[in-house]
Amino acid sequence: MRTGALVTAVGVLLAALAAEVLAASDVRGVRLWRAPDNTRLVFDLSGPVQHSVFTLAAPDRIVIDVTGAKLATSLDQLSLANTPITGVRSAQRSAEELRVVIDLSAPVSPKSFTLAPNQQYGHRLVVDLFDQGSAPPAAQTPSVAASAPPVPVTPTQPPPKLTPVPNGKRDIVVAIDAGHGGEDPGALSPVKGQYEKNVTLAIARELQRQINAEKGFRGELVRTGDYFIPLRKRTEIARKKGADLFVSIHADAAPRSSAFGASVYALSERGATSETARWLADAENQSDLIGGAGNVSLDDKDKMLAGVLLDLSMTASLSSSLNVGQKVLSNMGNITPLHKRRVEQAGFMVLKSPDIPSILVETGFISNPNEAKKLHTASHQQALARSITTGVKQFFHENPPPGTYVAWLRDEGKIAAGPREHVVASGESLALIAQRYQISLAALRSANKLNGDVIKVGQTLQIPATSLAAQ
Ligand SMILES: [Zn+2]
């Protein structure tokens, strides 16, 4: 009797110890996202794990060994359509080792990393399977960023110079970036089952359709489906597509559900221009922390700004960003209430292309039940896209890049080379602006009814037509 009780007690103790030692984490769920060139698997875990990944050929397989884990979910519901994955199997090799085998129809290059919990998700193991022929980008993959120490921030590489064909008539390329995607849903909508990522993609697609309908313009989507793209990769995609302008589409969220209205952002020279802007910049930049680009965080904001924003080309592109932003905002004001009447400036990572004018459009507050309802309707999405298209067109009619069809139109006198507008960026003086537009300081002063040379950042100046001003 006594002995039996002791044996039982020891047995219980051993079992408890074993559980303690193994500290097994549960794999609570598996999510899958297909991007144009890779497939991402995200294992949601109850705690940290160790793992290794290796490939096997003939037939092609990926084996993921997860130490200290057991499967507490089914792998059957994953939607494998359009992926090279034909099946996902698992085996508990021992109490502490879970093996997941991914059967493939084609070889892939795997990259894997773990992510620590954030506000939205717990511990995660991420396995990216890059399609063959689309080697994982070496320096900027989420995996590298997430597992390696912070990489010093270097200005983005100069764009491949698209040599302007003399008298060429190329299209003006507008890169349209639908915010968020994949496991980063963006802001939550009070409309059931809806997320910011869906609204942004719908508006982006409509915007692309409308821009493509304009002769001399071409819209290029940065994100074409429901998958995650790190922020830096977004600007990189835009650059590869030869973008003349980068437009990132978002929907706002605020703790107060009554907040409403659209806003347009350009990059700030130094931090945010208002507390709201600062709050928003943080929330939008969190995207990479959610999606796994790890160290691409707010920490590099000042370094980045100090290094790159002082560059004159940045000042020029920032001035263009403010200009196109103001035009888009004015047009949006005709169809939807505005949150702020001026272009706001904040340190959004996605706007940090030193050479491509970039704006971020918050189409409205998805956290406001009324605006959320509107944001989900096709007619409102069309109206929003129309106002953005109009603003973009106005900007490029005034500032056509050389070698484009629109520049040719202007040179042929087919679009009025009327007065232009310039939105003052930080560090610009009236003299500098006069020089840039090759007009006299006096003409610039008189066109704007200025007595002295004092101008304010964000101020809109009328630039008189050259023929009247310079001579
Ligand atoms: Zn957003």
Side-chain angles (χ1 to χ4, degrees), residues 9-10 18 103 107 118 148 160 167 179 184 189 202 227 250 264 326 339 346 378 381 394 433 439 446 455:
V10 169
D103 296 308
N118 60 23
N167 305 317
D184 169 20
S189 164
Y227 51 89
H250 286 258
V264 173
Q326 194 59 52
H339 189 62
Q381 290 171 357
Q394 286 170 350
I433 295 165
I439 54 174
S446 105
I455 46 175

Side-chain angles (χ1 to χ4, degrees), residues 179-180 184-187 196 200 249-253 280 283-284 287 360 362:
H180 311 277
D184 169 20
E196 180 186 351
T200 59
I249 306 288
H250 286 258
D252 230 329
L280 192 66
E284 297 294 10
S287 180
L360 187 145
E362 294 282 4

Side-chain angles (χ1 to χ4, degrees), residues 8-341:
T8 312
V10 169
V12 169
L13 185 66
L14 281 177
L17 272 175
E20 193 58 42
V21 170
L22 302 179
S25 298
D26 286 339
V27 176
R28 287 174 170 164
V30 185
R31 293 171 286 140
L32 181 146
W33 312 98
R34 177 64 193 168
D37 63 350
N38 72 79
T39 309
R40 170 170 282 193
L41 282 159
V42 181
F43 297 85
D44 289 301
L45 308 160
S46 63
V49 294
Q50 304 255 309
H51 79 284
S52 60
V53 174
F54 59 95
T55 52
L56 293 172
D60 289 311
R61 280 154 295 160
I62 295 282
V63 178
I64 308 164
D65 282 333
V66 193
T67 309
K70 60 186 195 320
L71 194 65
T73 184
S74 159
L75 299 172
D76 299 339
Q77 309 97 320
L78 288 173
S79 162
L80 305 177
N82 303 318
T83 75
I85 302 175
T86 54
V88 182
R89 300 172 279 137
S90 75
Q92 201 71 45
R93 300 183 75 215
S94 69
E96 55 178 313
E97 182 144 343
L98 170 69
R99 169 164 286 187
V100 177
V101 179
I102 298 171
D103 296 308
L104 299 159
S105 58
V108 298
S109 318
K111 284 263 173 185
S112 65
F113 55 99
T114 53
L115 288 171
N118 60 23
Q119 296 112 316
Q120 202 166 359
Y121 295 111
H123 287 275
R124 284 150 293 160
L125 166 61
V126 180
V127 181
D128 285 334
L129 307 175
F130 289 88
D131 299 349
Q132 205 92 132
S134 69
Q140 295 179 334
T141 48
S143 48
V144 172
S147 56
V151 192
V153 177
T154 45
T156 12
Q157 299 196 337
K161 272 281 169 258
L162 302 165
T163 5
V165 190
N167 305 317
K169 291 181 197 168
R170 73 167 177 88
D171 286 338
I172 289 172
V173 179
V174 181
I176 307 162
D177 172 50
H180 311 277
E183 71 268 31
D184 169 20
L188 302 185
S189 164
V191 177
K192 206 169 181 289
Q194 283 295 354
Y195 301 105
E196 180 186 351
K197 66 175 182 180
N198 308 125
V199 170
T200 59
L201 187 59
I203 296 171
R205 285 193 170 129
E206 175 59 21
L207 182 57
Q208 183 195 33
R209 196 190 63 76
Q210 292 188 13
I211 286 179
N212 283 345
E214 300 287 342
K215 189 163 164 54
F217 288 84
R218 193 170 79 243
E220 291 277 4
L221 290 178
V222 171
R223 174 165 78 84
T224 55
D226 188 14
Y227 51 89
F228 179 77
I229 310 175
L231 297 175
R232 278 188 194 287
K233 181 86 192 290
R234 292 175 191 252
T235 53
E236 202 183 298
I237 291 171
R239 180 167 287 106
K240 282 204 182 110
K241 291 181 184 288
D244 296 289
L245 174 68
F246 181 87
V247 181
S248 191
I249 306 288
H250 286 258
D252 230 329
R256 282 182 306 119
S257 69
S258 56
F260 71 97
S263 8
V264 173
Y265 286 82
L267 185 62
S268 65
E269 298 87 345
R270 202 159 297 164
T273 48
S274 74
E275 275 308 303
T276 315
R278 187 183 300 276
W279 185 84
L280 192 66
D282 288 2
E284 297 294 10
N285 287 335
Q286 292 298 322
S287 180
D288 264 359
L289 303 179
I290 294 168
N295 295 309
V296 181
S297 72
L298 299 172
D299 301 340
D300 68 347
K301 188 157 60 183
D302 291 335
K303 269 178 278 171
M304 179 82 179
L305 290 168
V308 178
L309 293 184
L310 291 178
D311 187 324
L312 273 178
S313 82
M314 188 72 195
T315 310
S317 105
L318 184 56
S319 162
S320 296
S321 303
L322 290 168
N323 186 344
V324 66
Q326 194 59 52
K327 289 184 163 62
V328 166
L329 193 63
S330 308
N331 283 284
M332 288 181 84
N334 296 332
I335 59 121
T336 199
L338 297 182
H339 189 62
K340 289 277 167 61
R341 302 213 67 86

